Amino acid sequence: MTTPLAWFGLPDDADERELKRVYAKRLKETRPDVDPAGFQELRARYEAAQAWCRQAAHVATPAVDNTPSPPVEAGSPPVDEATTPPPAASWRAVKFDEAQPATHASPFDAERFATAFLQTAATRHPLDLLSWLQEQPELWSLRAKQQAGHVVLRRLFRDQPPMTAASFDNTLQFFGMDHALAGVDPLHLQQLRTNLHEWHALQQRFEPAIEAWNAQSPRVDAETVYRWFCACARSHATEPAIAALHAQPALQNGDWRQQLAPQLLELVVRERPPMPAATAASLFDYFRLYELAHGRGASLQDMPSQLEVLWLMLPENASRLALRVRDAKKPYGEAKKSSRYLRWVQRPFHWWWILLTSWVPGLPTALGLFLWRLSEGVPSRLPRTIDPALARFCIATASRHVVAGPRVLVGVIRCGSLLVLGGVLDALWYVFLQEPYGEPGSPSLLISALVITAAWAAYITFVALLIWQRRPEEPPQARPLLRIAFVPAMCAAGVLLWFASGSNGLGVGALLPTASLAYGRYRARNPLPPAGARTRWSTIPDTLFYIGLFLSMHWAPGMALVALAAWGMDLWLQRKSLRWRPGAKPAASPTGRA
């Protein structure tokens, strides 16, 4: 008689262990995704042979009898065939378990299998991982295999354990998710593959410096993780700290990390530990603190940069701070100067602080640039140890795009101090040398201070007017008609001054700033093309302006004509977007219709 074991090439007395070994070899040759019909036949043959082996194992072995058995009559069925019931056709095994009968097989636990897979993938070679997957009897069922594939992929997206790219590819291929019909975005899979491989490469690179701690997760709490990682981030570079975080056995379970996340979020927000931005971002991603904070109505997008500012302000990071705030034109930073500026901005912001910084030439501007570069242009990233009012004052003083109140205040303090000093020195000169003001050869520091003050006032007024004139038409500006008519009005005033005084010097002195305003307005609102797109005709207006300005130095009305030419050129080029009154629409739409 032919038994179900004969199809597998096994003897009639083979046990279930030998059957599984042969079935695993046949399974490598007959894959369900390549030959579905062959796999179904293989599966049916295996189930029948397995039932045969189990039935034979449960039959009691009789005592050994040396007496010959009676002859079998012709036409009678064989003993084995008559006494062995056929296997039930409706029986299907869900999980192969030798200790339990097939009718009481336990259901497949996909989550437990995914946990075992993640542990195996972290330690085995990609080919060994593929062999391990093929040898799992739970996955011989197509339904269980599909369920396990979805759970494994979900756990990979959630936990993102260190894994080589080859292991990830083998996993997708085994579970049939390496094609577009699997229902998973290929871009997301590629990003996941890159992240897992980077974590694995980082861990392998710094493996000698990584030490596991608290391998038993029940002994780990959020306070322990927080203190350990803060010390690690402060004493190590970014990459070793990230590698150590991903290598901790106690944190490999995503469910356990999710339980630690709320308390860890409270500790980070409350204490704000100093660490590099990349390290903090990795910590937030690993514990999913971004999503947790968003669910509570908060945002942690800027938190890594804030923690990095605190980290740069530590004394041991003085050289890194110098590189952060250095001038872009210099290839190196000055650690001593940066430390001195840091001490200045951490002092209390009082009136005497403003006086002291104003008396030091260039200090308010240097402090403003220091704070701007330290915060990377976002003053809200500065820590609480720096007064926000002090930061706003210094940054406004250093700004060259606007004439702000702090900048004017610093100039007023300097000019006032210079006037007071000039008056005191002139008084001392008169008391000790008995030389009154106005005598031939007698100096007057007060008059010099007045000239310097007037020059500064004229300069700051010119800068304010230039910034006002250079503003674009969009967004709409206040008092547009006044801004348009300012240059012609100044030209008329300069010509009247020249005509009334009869002095060409007074007229040129009044019209030269006006011509500069007109040209600055024209060039700022109509910039030159990029260097690669310029032609020899692009700079003709600039050349004509400078030639006209030079030729009109001896005739004031000619300078007024040069200023009006630059002003008129700007109006012509901006004619489609001009606004003549507040709230009015542009003179022409972008399509050219009025």
Coordinates of all heavy atoms in Angstrom, one line a residue, residues 2 110 133 215 290 295 318 351 363 383 453 474 478 492 505:
T2 N 0.5 2.3 -0.7 CA 1.2 3.6 -0.7 C 0.7 4.5 0.4 O -0.5 4.8 0.4 CB 1.1 4.2 -2.1 OG1 1.5 3.3 -3.1 CG2 1.9 5.5 -2.2
A110 N 0.4 37.3 16.2 CA 1.2 38.1 15.3 C 2.1 39.0 16.0 O 3.3 39.3 15.6 CB 0.4 38.8 14.2
L133 N 13.0 32.9 8.8 CA 11.7 33.1 8.5 C 11.1 31.9 7.7 O 9.9 31.6 7.9 CB 11.6 34.4 7.6 CG 11.8 35.7 8.3 CD1 11.8 36.9 7.2 CD2 10.6 36.0 9.3
A215 N 19.1 46.1 31.4 CA 18.6 45.3 30.4 C 17.1 44.8 30.6 O 16.4 44.5 29.7 CB 19.4 44.0 30.1
Y290 N 7.2 64.4 19.5 CA 6.5 65.4 18.7 C 5.0 65.1 18.6 O 4.2 66.0 18.8 CB 7.1 65.3 17.3 CG 8.5 65.9 17.2 CD1 9.6 65.1 16.8 CD2 8.8 67.2 17.4 CE1 10.9 65.6 16.7 CE2 10.1 67.7 17.3 CZ 11.1 66.9 17.0 OH 12.4 67.4 16.9
G295 N -0.6 66.2 20.3 CA -1.9 65.8 20.8 C -2.3 66.6 22.1 O -3.5 66.7 22.4
A318 N 33.0 76.6 24.6 CA 33.4 78.0 24.2 C 33.9 78.0 22.7 O 33.6 78.9 22.0 CB 34.4 78.5 25.1
W351 N 19.1 100.7 33.0 CA 19.5 102.0 32.3 C 21.0 102.1 32.3 O 21.6 102.6 31.3 CB 18.9 103.2 32.9 CG 19.3 103.4 34.3 CD1 18.6 102.9 35.4 CD2 20.4 104.1 34.8 NE1 19.3 103.3 36.6 CE2 20.4 104.1 36.2 CE3 21.4 104.8 34.2 CZ2 21.3 104.7 37.0 CZ3 22.4 105.5 35.0 CH2 22.3 105.4 36.4
L363 N 30.0 98.2 20.5 CA 29.6 97.1 21.4 C 28.1 96.8 21.2 O 27.8 95.6 21.1 CB 29.9 97.4 22.9 CG 29.6 96.3 23.9 CD1 30.3 95.1 23.5 CD2 29.9 96.8 25.3
P383 N 17.7 81.5 25.7 CA 17.2 80.9 27.0 C 16.7 82.0 27.9 O 16.8 83.2 27.6 CB 18.5 80.3 27.5 CG 19.6 81.0 26.9 CD 19.2 81.4 25.5
T453 N 27.6 116.0 16.1 CA 26.2 115.6 16.3 C 25.3 116.0 15.1 O 24.4 115.2 14.8 CB 25.7 116.4 17.6 OG1 26.6 116.1 18.7 CG2 24.3 116.1 17.9
E474 N 4.5 96.4 -2.9 CA 3.8 95.4 -2.2 C 4.7 94.8 -1.1 O 5.9 94.5 -1.3 CB 3.5 94.2 -3.2 CG 2.5 94.6 -4.4 CD 1.1 94.9 -3.9 OE1 0.8 94.5 -2.7 OE2 0.4 95.6 -4.6
A478 N 2.1 103.0 3.8 CA 1.3 104.1 4.2 C 1.7 105.4 3.5 O 2.9 105.6 3.1 CB 1.5 104.3 5.7
A492 N 12.7 120.6 -6.0 CA 12.2 122.0 -6.1 C 12.8 122.8 -4.9 O 13.2 124.0 -5.2 CB 10.7 122.0 -6.0
G505 N 27.2 126.0 -4.0 CA 27.5 125.0 -3.0 C 26.3 124.6 -2.1 O 26.1 123.4 -1.8

